[in-house]
Amino acid sequence: MAHLPAGAPAPALRRKRRRERLRTLGFLSPWLIGFCAFFGYPLLATVFFSFLHYNQIEPPVFVGLRNWTYVLTQMPLFGPALGNTLWLVVVMVALRVVFGLGIGMLVTKIKTGVGFFRTAFYLPYLAPPVAATVAFVFLLNPGTGPVNEVLGALGIPAPSWFNDPHWAKPSLVLLSLWGIGDLMVIFMAALLDVPKEQYEAAELDGAGAWGRFRYVTWPSITPIVLFAVVTGVVQTMQYYTQALVAGKLASGVTVGPGSVIQPGYPDHSTLTVPQLVYSLGFQNFNTGAACALSLVLFVLAMAATSLLMRGRAGLLPAED
């Protein structure tokens, strides 16, 4: 970049700086337009409508904090939905990271047929969420499902899976672990990027398998683990399709034109906050309360992400 001489006049310096700013804005304009159109404006509109009573038909009416009061203190299903969502965040994200890392390490150690195993573990991730959920509800059907038939033949008590409030969320976790291929690929790339010289040096120092993982593998893949945890938390906070489809199929209710089915079967055990947002906004036409509930979920996701990104409270090493 050319520099103006020391004695350059102030107007010329200002014009140069203005051209640099315009050039920078030009390069940033695609991202800025996308950010404002698909994040900034929807977020501001959500905040605006959270203070209004709006049924999508009549003109909106300002009601102050009434929607927030209803969501936080009066909504009967807010507690179960929030509890289910947080349970899924803690259990599902943790198990997906552990299983994804374990399968990634297993595949990287295979000497023959590695291409087959990579494909076999990754293919389930490509299945559409609705189709995968339908298949799992069929396999885990307590009356006719092949899984319970095999368990019964082995003399193992067969649970009711999606029809049991105590087993519905664990069944969703099993479904998420079946499609673990995305994390497997990410962890495989991170594991293959660890320098082999460090493993050799650790072996010369007498480190066993656990020592090599703790002092060589883990420090190298920690940023990838953090990425997997943060993205997993954000995605699970938005968990909607699988829980809704599983609940509807397990309940045996036929969905037809004009039918309204309350989500969360059985006994609200699969009800999540995104389902409640959809029910409020598009089934009960309470857009203001739905926007307030969406903002609560947004704040929780931002708080969890900030906590994980902190050096001393999250996965990143603390800076001296």
Side-chain angles (χ1 to χ4, degrees):
M1 184 181 295
H3 296 279
L4 293 176
L13 183 60
R14 285 197 295 269
R15 285 195 299 270
K16 175 179 178 295
R17 291 177 177 174
R18 188 180 302 113
R19 286 195 300 270
E20 291 178 349
R21 294 192 186 98
L22 291 176
R23 187 184 305 113
T24 303
L25 287 175
F27 284 114
L28 290 175
S29 58
W31 180 85
L32 290 174
I33 293 173
F35 177 83
C36 294
F38 300 107
F39 181 79
Y41 170 74
L43 179 60
L44 294 177
T46 302
V47 174
F48 175 73
F49 280 108
S50 68
F51 298 101
L52 303 176
H53 173 70
Y54 181 45
N55 59 6
Q56 305 177 22
I57 300 176
E58 300 175 352
V61 179
F62 180 77
V63 294
L65 298 176
R66 189 178 303 173
N67 290 325
W68 291 90
T69 302
Y70 170 72
V71 168
L72 297 177
T73 62
Q74 300 175 5
M75 183 182 297
L77 297 179
F78 175 67
L82 181 60
N84 293 334
T85 303
L86 295 179
W87 189 96
L88 290 172
V89 167
V90 174
V91 178
M92 184 180 293
V93 173
L95 290 180
R96 276 180 56 84
V97 170
V98 171
F99 272 74
L101 179 57
I103 294 176
M105 295 179 65
L106 178 64
V107 174
T108 55
K109 299 297 183 183
I110 296 176
K111 302 300 182 182
T112 58
V114 61
F116 168 78
F117 287 104
R118 288 178 181 177
T119 304
F121 283 117
Y122 186 73
L123 276 180
Y125 172 71
L126 300 178
V130 174
T133 306
V134 171
F136 246 70
V137 173
F138 168 75
L139 292 173
L140 300 180
N141 186 289
T144 60
V147 173
N148 277 13
E149 291 183 1
V150 173
L151 293 177
L154 296 176
I156 301 176
S160 297
W161 302 110
F162 289 106
N163 294 87
D164 187 345
H166 301 290
W167 280 94
K169 287 191 290 293
S171 301
L172 293 175
V173 173
L174 290 177
L175 173 60
S176 68
L177 295 180
W178 178 69
I180 201 67
D182 56 335
L183 289 185
M184 180 202 68
V185 171
I186 293 174
F187 284 127
M188 280 180 56
L191 292 167
L192 293 174
D193 197 45
V194 180
K196 296 182 178 179
E197 294 79 6
Q198 295 185 9
Y199 288 117
E200 295 174 356
E203 289 182 4
L204 291 175
D205 290 338
W210 170 248
R212 292 194 298 271
F213 174 80
R214 179 180 179 183
Y215 296 108
V216 178
T217 305
W218 182 256
S220 300
I221 67 172
T222 296
I224 308 302
V225 175
L226 176 63
F227 169 80
V229 172
V230 171
T231 55
V233 168
V234 174
Q235 292 173 358
T236 311
M237 285 277 188
Q238 306 171 21
Y239 199 71
Y240 174 81
T241 303
Q242 293 88 335
L244 183 66
V245 173
K248 287 183 177 181
L249 291 175
S251 65
V253 178
T254 303
V255 182
S259 62
V260 177
I261 299 177
Q262 296 299 325
Y265 178 87
D267 295 338
H268 308 301
S269 60
T270 59
L271 180 65
T272 60
V273 176
Q275 294 182 57
L276 205 56
V277 171
Y278 179 85
S279 178
L280 280 173
F282 296 98
Q283 291 182 338
N284 299 318
F285 300 101
N286 193 346
T287 304
C291 289
L293 186 58
S294 300
L295 291 173
V296 172
L297 189 63
F298 174 75
V299 171
L300 290 175
M302 290 296 295
T305 303
S306 301
L307 179 62
L308 291 170
M309 295 295 292
R310 288 183 58 189
R312 298 187 182 278
L315 294 173
L316 288 177
E319 297 181 359
D320 294 332

